[in-house]
């Protein structure tokens, strides 16, 4: 039996350092196990006490009558490793270490944490610095969280993994208050051994779990995360993640000079997107979205009916849904007729949406009739019901009517509760109707339901390409011509150009490359050519001699060295300028696509993908990157402009990502900027670029 | 005594159509008046009943023993106007009409609503279709909202005016649950007479009110709103508004062809900004922000200390604050030393922010010491305290410590409550510590506190300019040259240009206007010149003849009419392209400034101001518009480019707005697109524009 399974479903639990005082943190785990009716064996271990709450207390791990499945270690950081060693020696499946004072406190703590791992040997560790876990499905609390003071667990189908212990308490108490049911709740914290991905993997095959919610601070093993997330997706279990650290993104800016436009947080976006993980934007979404997804009802479109008895709140929800690009069309004539037949009152608004039955319509038969009419309508993909202040006196009225009608349809039904009425929210959630107290939460939940239908049909995100032979390149930075030669080996074509060393050669090149050309300094050392006067655009052959002289002097003045080589390039016009770059992030190698030009730069109009584990990005993925750019219309024929050659751009993105995949750790830096995308059928052209290579791969791809 | 004052502070209330059954809507007002201890006279009026709840019941208004200050009319829409007439005849100050069935139901309802107004004569009306009002300060509920079932009102200093009755119930019950105190709560709904602005004006001079919260559906009288909002600002009372209908902005797009980029919702933004009203982005902000502002503590900067006993929630709040551009610097060495001296425990993190005292630090003396140390530090402008799950067992611990320390400092102190703990939230709010349950709410509240310091120093937004004489212009659309002539009368200069009618004239003009020129069709009828081939850019004098021929043929083919006149213009290069436009909105005349070019257009990079009531926009206001553009850096010398002539741009904005002000209803349409802003010192140049004039003013300016 798998150690993680035994950790979450133990038949016996040893509590090392248990206190007889249930008010102390070290007294809580035994107290909670008993309070919530754990049916297995509980072995408190404490040499100073004989019994705790009627349970025999053992002096040490060696004295235990059997090998426990799990050991909860409540000792401080200075002694925890000893208990871990003893548990490991007895063959315990897993230890939960609550002590703090490890990596989070500095180098001495890091040493202790390493000691803990060594002491564990083959035994698995949850923690340290964890608040533990709770298996709500089987009433097994292995935790000291004071949120467990509650009488009954909110049992359900949402599995939660959190990298913070305090957040576990917050989510548990909030879920309980709202009637949102959880299956298992784990705090992984320092993750010396077991991490987020291990538990996501477990929950993906856990029968009690239908949706997985993650509170993420950092992903320590991105590959494992990707594998586990894709396993959950294949199992049809949505994964919802809330990640903190978004505002530190600036500080962790990319190394490459324009890659700096995309911070590391954007890489998390890419990771989540590529693995079908739904990103929760607000902390409250981390319960709201799973609550909606746990109904397993599928949202097939964007047309939402709003049924209300109070105009104000209906408008509020309608507005929030509209901002999230949902539609709230008026009922079709057949549905309006069915609604009118209910005779809900003089001033009911039944031909509009929100459909307002008014206070007069708050009667069980009328409500059922209205709900059934709307659910049966082909006009709507989902129903949002408003619960108004009038329900305070009859909390069950709306919930009862909805519950009666739910079996008639498989469309999503959600509720917005307008007054402060936590008991109504709880009743609705418990009856399978996700209920929200913020209009924006209704929109976030429906949005996630819509996204889930996409996840089930994730396009192939990677493709394998046979290795491409490339010539020898010098070590370190390539010059611009070499960089473009490298890109073209993989299939990204460049502007026509010639390397020249003197005025005569420059004139010949200028004459052959068109009426006007670009003249550039060519150098492996100087990457920021324009800053030293090393770029001249729109030069005619008549004045190329003068411009070359000028450039020579300017570069020499700025760098102290006279340039020896220049590049004469054709001028490109009529295309859309993009940036295509590579950037190495702690989460993996990334491919960045961005719109070029200063305006797009100010709007940070970029998108990113992690290099797939299996090879290059697929053509589908390349197209999905383009469509994510806010300036995608510029590629798609904006305002009568010709459509750009997006097919060639997709091929270039695939080719560039294949280069990154094939070169692996040998590639240090690479960027094409600008990449001109010409009108459809005319291809793309790299007009400038940089590349830095190691001769030997020093970093894993 | 003012009628609105009497409406909100009545000494006597007649309830027309009162029912003896307190469960009925028509039974509630009398029941609530008694339940909450109204001290004045209550006169139920109902010919079918002798007494209600021990109160003598009168058969009609005429029989009342005195003239009531207020009449609550509970009759249906078909009879309400009769009661209104009777109340008016008795000299009642104001009637509250609850019936629905008026403008919200169509033309017959609109007729009834007009009838109501006529019946009222000099008496003021609140409603119809209102749920009434509640004076919480003096325990006077004049409402049928079932939210009034509560035992005690949450009394405080926030005055609420809502255009929806249902929202009043929602806000009242939510405020009560959270311990947020209100002064007066009014639902204005159909606003046949008294509107949002009337009550804002009242609350601006109401002693019990410190902050005004508005729930806005539409502003029917923008000028009155502006006057009332500015009165509140002068009184130092922040106004916070949440407005629905944001997603309908697309449908209410502007009339002018590029003005369509700015929807009507953006005009509300402008109105709120120009009157110092803080716009609540989310519905929950409508209580959260006033709760923070009602403490009257001023936030002087962006540096926030976060004090926590639990790492996870501290990080969460830190992240939310960071996203909102707040800073969370580590404690200075002196403060860190003071914190360390408290000896809060081994693993406390006292040299970072969040400052984590850990569970060991949850002791009253330690907490007080830590709070005092942070409040005394010059490093911080405000303190955010995290209340963790551990507080569930000791709800008063943190609240007590904070309360003890509040008098020591005038810096803002807010709290984030991590577990579900409404009682702790209420305790904190009641003790003057705004407490929030969402990390994003902490950021929204602090952000509003920061904005309030700006409001108190609103720059002069308007300036008066002496009338400018202008020549006669034709009626209807002007041609491009005339439009620019009009703009230049007011002080916006244009590119040099000449009107030509044949090839010879065109050649002469081209030679005089530079090596390359722009050739355009000149017409009053054809405004979309480029769509009919009527614009040629970069034309040299050599080929102006050919281009003119081509244009002639193209325009004739497209429009069936041969062009008679052309415009030859100088080419402008090196400037930043903007759009400066005028747009008439239901809220007033607006001035739109937008970045030109397709990329900026895709990002809808525009900003707007309402034309001031007193004249043109001020230079300060013009600068503040520029700085709101996301592409402002392009004007401010981005990436080594020269700074643009923002002073000349500000003058152009002022001049354009002065034109709009002076022409008033005579101006139908006006837009400069593009307006080139040249490098500093070189001015601005209108390169194209449209203007449409009426000879007679038909619309009020």
């Amino acid at each position: 039996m798998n150690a993680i399974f035994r950790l979450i479903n133990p038949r016996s639990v040893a509590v090392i350092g248990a206190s007889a005082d249930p008010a102390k943190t070290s007294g809580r785990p035994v107290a909670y196990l008993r309070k919530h009716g754990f049916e297995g064996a509980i072995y408190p271990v404490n040499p100073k006490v004989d019994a705790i709450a009627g349970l025999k207390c053992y002096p040490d791990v060696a004295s235990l009558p059997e090998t426990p499945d799990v050991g909860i270690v409540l000792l401080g950081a200075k002694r925890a490793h000893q208990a871990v060693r003893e548990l490991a020696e007895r063959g315990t499946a897993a230890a939960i270490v609550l002590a703090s004072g490890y990596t989070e406190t500095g180098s001495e703590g890091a040493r202790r944490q390493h000691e803990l791992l060594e002491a564990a040997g083959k035994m698995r560790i949850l923690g340290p610095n964890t608040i533990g876990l709770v298996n709500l499905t089987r009433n097994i609390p292995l935790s000291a969280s004071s949120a467990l003071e509650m009488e009954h667990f909110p049992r359900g189908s949402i599995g939660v993994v959190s990298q913070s212990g305090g957040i576990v308490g917050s989510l548990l108490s909030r879920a309980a208050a709202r009637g949102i049911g959880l299956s298992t709740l784990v705090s992984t914290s320092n993750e010396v051994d077991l991490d987020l991905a291990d538990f996501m993997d477990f929950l993906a095959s856990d029968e009690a779990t239908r949706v997985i919610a993650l509170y993420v601070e950092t992903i320590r093993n991105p590959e494992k995360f990707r594998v586990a997330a894709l396993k959950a997706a294949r199992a049809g279990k949505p994964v919802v993640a809330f990640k903190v650290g978004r505002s530190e993104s600036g500080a962790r800016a990319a190394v490459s000079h324009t890659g700096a436009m995309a911070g590391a947080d954007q890489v998390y976006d890419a990771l989540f997107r590529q693995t079908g993980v739904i990103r929760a934007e607000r902390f409250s979404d981390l319960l709201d979205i799973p609550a909606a997804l746990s109904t397993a009802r599928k949202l097939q479109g964007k047309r939402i009916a709003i049924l209300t008895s109070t105009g104000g709140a209906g408008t509020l929800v309608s507005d929030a849904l509209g901002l999230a690009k949902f539609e709230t069309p008026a009922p079709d004539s057949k549905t309006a007729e069915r609604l009118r037949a209910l005779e809900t009152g003089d001033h009911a608004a039944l031909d509009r949406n929100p459909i307002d039955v008014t206070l007069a319509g708050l009667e069980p038969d009328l409500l059922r009739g209205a709900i059934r009419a709307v659910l049966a309508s082909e006009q709507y993909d989902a129903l949002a019901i408003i619960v108004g202040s009038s329900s305070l006196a009859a909390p069950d009225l709306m919930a009862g009517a909805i519950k009666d009608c739910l079996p008639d349809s498989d469309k999503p039904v959600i509720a917005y509760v307008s007054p402060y009425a936590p008991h109504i929210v709880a009743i609705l959630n418990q009856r399978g109707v996700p209920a929200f107290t913020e209009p924006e939460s209704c929109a976030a939940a429906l949005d996630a339901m819509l996204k889930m239908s996409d996840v089930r049909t994730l396009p192939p995100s990677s493709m394998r390409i046979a290795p491409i032979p490339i010539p020898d390149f010098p070590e370190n930075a390539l010059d611009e011509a070499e960089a473009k030669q490298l890109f073209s080996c993989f299939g990204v074509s460049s502007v026509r150009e010639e390397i020249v060393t003197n005025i005569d050669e420059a004139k010949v090149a200028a004459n052959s490359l068109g009426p006007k050309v670009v003249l550039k300094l060519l150098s492996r050392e100087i990457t920021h050519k324009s800053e030293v006067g090393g770029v001249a655009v729109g030069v005619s052959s008549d004045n190329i001699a003068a411009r070359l002289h000028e450039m020579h002097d300017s570069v020499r003045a700025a760098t102290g060295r006279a340039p020896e080589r220049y590049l004469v390039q054709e001028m490109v016009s009529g295309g859309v300028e993009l940036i295509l770059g590579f950037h190495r992030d702690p989460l993996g190698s990334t491919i960045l696509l961005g719109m070029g030009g200063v305006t797009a730069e100010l709007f940070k109009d970029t998108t990113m993908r992690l290099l797939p584990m299996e090879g290059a990005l697929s053509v589908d993925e390349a197209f999905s990157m383009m469509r994510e750019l806010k300036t995608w219309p510029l590629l798609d024929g904006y305002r009568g402009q010709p459509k750009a050659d997006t097919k060639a751009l997709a091929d270039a993105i695939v080719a560039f990502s294949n280069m990154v995949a094939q070169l692996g750790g040998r590639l240090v830096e690479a960027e094409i900027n600008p990449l001109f995308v010409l009108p459809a059928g005319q291809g793309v052209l790299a007009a400038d670029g940089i590349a830095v290579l190691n001769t030997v791969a020093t970093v894993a791809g």
Side-chain angles (χ1 to χ4, degrees), chain A:
Chain A
M1 206 166 48
N2 173 304
I4 298 178
F5 182 85
R6 282 171 69 190
L7 169 62
I8 292 175
N9 296 277
R11 288 156 310 184
S12 55
V13 179
V15 185
I16 325 299
S19 160
D21 179 357
K24 286 191 177 166
T25 303
S26 53
R28 289 185 198 153
V30 169
Y32 293 155
L33 279 162
R34 303 209 72 183
K35 178 186 177 91
H36 293 285
F38 174 58
E39 290 175 354
I42 307 173
Y43 302 119
V45 176
N46 186 337
K48 295 178 191 159
V49 186
D50 290 334
I52 292 180
L55 292 170
K56 177 174 163 54
C57 194
Y58 298 86
D60 51 37
V61 172
S63 323
L64 296 178
E66 63 165 332
T67 296
D69 278 341
V70 170
I72 303 178
V73 179
L74 300 171
L75 307 174
K78 284 172 189 156
R79 294 197 295 144
H81 66 283
Q82 292 160 6
V84 164
R85 193 179 307 279
E86 290 165 24
L87 286 164
E89 282 166 0
R90 289 270 331 225
T92 305
I96 302 174
V97 181
L98 274 73
S100 57
Y102 293 95
T103 45
E104 80 280 8
T105 58
S107 59
E108 170 59 13
R111 192 198 55 73
R112 275 198 213 113
Q113 187 160 313
H114 186 68
E115 193 174 38
L116 209 56
L117 190 63
E118 279 192 331
K122 286 181 191 162
M123 184 181 70
R124 309 306 302 260
I125 301 185
L126 176 63
N129 197 18
T130 176
I131 198 72
L133 68 87
V134 188
N135 177 340
L136 295 96
T137 311
R138 295 189 52 206
N139 270 337
I140 310 176
L142 306 176
S143 169
S145 171
S146 42
L148 293 171
E149 297 286 348
M150 62 179 60
E151 290 307 314
H152 301 288
F153 288 143
R155 197 171 299 139
S157 61
I158 302 169
V160 180
V161 191
S162 165
Q163 290 185 320
S164 154
I167 296 299
V168 157
S170 173
L171 292 174
L172 180 58
S173 70
R174 289 177 183 214
R178 293 196 30 210
I180 295 174
L182 312 180
S183 56
T184 291
L185 195 57
V186 184
S187 141
T188 58
S189 301
N190 286 23
E191 299 186 344
V192 66
D193 173 18
L194 293 170
D195 69 9
L196 203 63
D198 289 307
F199 291 100
M200 181 159 47
D201 177 273
F202 169 82
L203 294 171
S205 40
D206 175 41
E207 277 183 19
T209 301
R210 198 180 271 168
V211 183
I212 300 169
L214 306 177
Y215 182 86
V216 180
E217 290 182 345
T218 181
I219 290 177
R220 292 186 175 84
N221 190 333
E223 286 218 7
K224 216 163 99 181
F225 183 93
R226 287 162 88 163
V227 170
L230 291 171
K231 177 179 167 185
R234 275 194 306 274
K237 297 188 182 181
V239 180
V240 181
F242 179 85
K243 182 192 159 282
V244 284
R246 294 164 295 176
S247 60
E248 293 164 359
S249 57
R252 295 189 285 172
V255 179
S256 154
H257 69 296
T258 55
M261 284 164 67
D265 192 68
Q266 205 183 357
V267 187
Y268 278 88
D269 269 340
L271 173 63
F272 293 152
R273 199 185 293 112
Q274 286 174 270
T275 51
V277 171
I278 294 169
R279 184 162 190 176
E281 292 298 321
R282 294 168 53 91
F283 180 59
S284 58
D285 293 342
L286 190 53
L287 281 179
D288 285 336
I289 292 176
L293 297 176
S294 68
T295 63
R297 288 177 175 247
K298 288 181 194 165
L299 184 56
Q300 309 280 9
K302 297 196 150 199
R303 302 162 309 160
I304 317 293
I306 300 171
L307 188 67
T308 188
S309 63
T310 171
T315 307
L316 198 52
V317 170
S318 168
D319 199 32
L321 295 184
L323 284 177
K325 310 285 180 216
F326 284 97
E327 297 154 21
T328 52
D332 52 281
S333 57
K334 198 176 130 195
T335 307
E337 199 174 313
R338 275 186 74 172
L339 289 167
R340 273 193 302 271
L342 298 169
E343 299 183 5
T344 52
D346 267 4
H347 304 133
L350 306 174
D351 52 354
R352 312 174 205 167
N353 187 4
I355 301 159
D356 190 345
V357 298
T358 73
L359 289 179
L362 285 179
E363 197 270 305
D365 278 347
L366 289 179
L367 282 176
R368 277 192 292 263
I371 294 168
R372 289 206 172 103
V374 170
L375 285 177
S377 168
E378 285 177 11
Q379 180 83 335
Y380 298 116
D381 302 304
L383 170 60
I385 294 185
I386 311 296
V387 179
S389 296
S390 51
S391 65
L392 288 171
D396 209 45
L397 176 67
M398 192 62 97
I402 303 174
K403 198 200 169 202
D404 292 345
C405 303
L406 270 185
D408 299 356
S409 165
D410 54 8
K411 290 178 187 171
V413 179
I414 65 167
Y416 170 75
V417 179
S418 177
Y420 177 79
H423 54 299
I424 299 182
V425 172
I427 290 173
L428 286 164
N429 273 313
Q430 281 156 2
R431 298 202 176 159
V433 183
F436 308 100
T437 58
E438 303 303 331
E440 298 83 2
S441 305
C442 297
L446 288 171
D447 200 48
M449 290 177 116
L450 203 57
K451 275 187 191 140
M452 272 318 293
S453 49
D454 293 346
V455 169
R456 284 150 210 255
T457 57
L458 274 180
S461 68
S462 67
M463 59 190 289
R464 287 199 173 281
I465 297 172
I468 287 167
I470 57 168
D472 289 339
F473 280 104
E475 201 169 344
N476 293 327
L478 307 187
D479 67 34
E480 182 186 329
E482 290 161 343
K484 284 189 286 193
Q485 191 196 347
L486 173 66
F487 303 148
S488 77
C489 289
F490 287 89
V492 184
S493 49
S494 297
V495 294
R496 290 180 301 140
E497 63 191 19
E498 284 177 35
I499 300 171
V500 301
T501 57
N502 57 49
I503 287 172
D504 288 343
E505 289 174 11
K507 278 186 178 166
V508 172
N511 277 323
S512 77
L513 289 170
K516 300 257 176 164
V517 295
V518 180
L519 176 69
K520 286 177 180 172
L521 165 67
L522 185 64
S523 161
R524 288 190 189 133
E525 290 76 28
I526 302 163
T527 49
H528 294 279
K529 297 181 284 277
S530 51
E531 290 173 15
V532 296
V535 179
V537 176
V539 182
S540 65
S541 55
D542 290 350
N543 61 356
I544 196 155
R547 291 297 288 110
L548 195 143
H549 265 302
E550 206 179 302
M551 188 173 290
H552 178 276
D553 295 350
S554 162
V555 171
R556 191 167 56 184
T559 68
R561 286 177 57 180
E564 289 165 5
R565 299 180 307 154
Y566 303 86
L567 211 46
V568 179
Q569 294 177 333
E570 66 172 322
M571 290 272 288
V572 181
S573 67
V576 179
E577 282 182 54
L578 289 155
I579 299 170
L580 181 58
F582 151 71
H583 157 63
R584 206 182 294 281
D585 186 90
L587 290 187
S589 294
T590 64
I591 307 298
L592 175 141
L593 181 71
M595 190 55 69
V598 286
T599 310
E601 190 178 312
L602 281 170
F603 286 101
K604 298 186 172 49
D605 191 20
T606 63
T607 183
M608 256 192 184
R609 288 293 184 279
L610 279 161
L611 190 70
M613 293 179 283
E614 308 81 13
L617 289 169
S618 69
V619 171
D620 277 345
E621 199 72 61
F623 268 103
S624 104
M625 290 180 82
M626 285 178 225
R627 293 202 182 92
E628 273 163 28
L629 293 175
K630 298 187 192 76
T631 47
W632 156 251
L634 298 183
L635 294 167
D636 197 36
Y638 187 63
R639 291 216 161 184
Q641 292 297 304
K643 287 199 185 222
D645 199 334
T646 50
K647 206 191 148 310
L649 175 58
D651 290 342
I653 295 169
V654 171
F656 188 85
S657 72
N658 183 49
M659 172 189 76
V660 174
Q662 180 175 325
L663 294 177
R666 202 182 152 197
L667 189 66
V668 179
E669 206 173 323
E671 183 180 270
I672 304 175
N673 180 11
L675 176 68
F676 280 96
V677 187
L678 303 175
Q682 298 177 39
V684 302
L685 289 174
D688 201 345
I690 53 166
V692 180
L693 290 176
N694 279 331
T695 39
V696 186
T698 52
V699 187

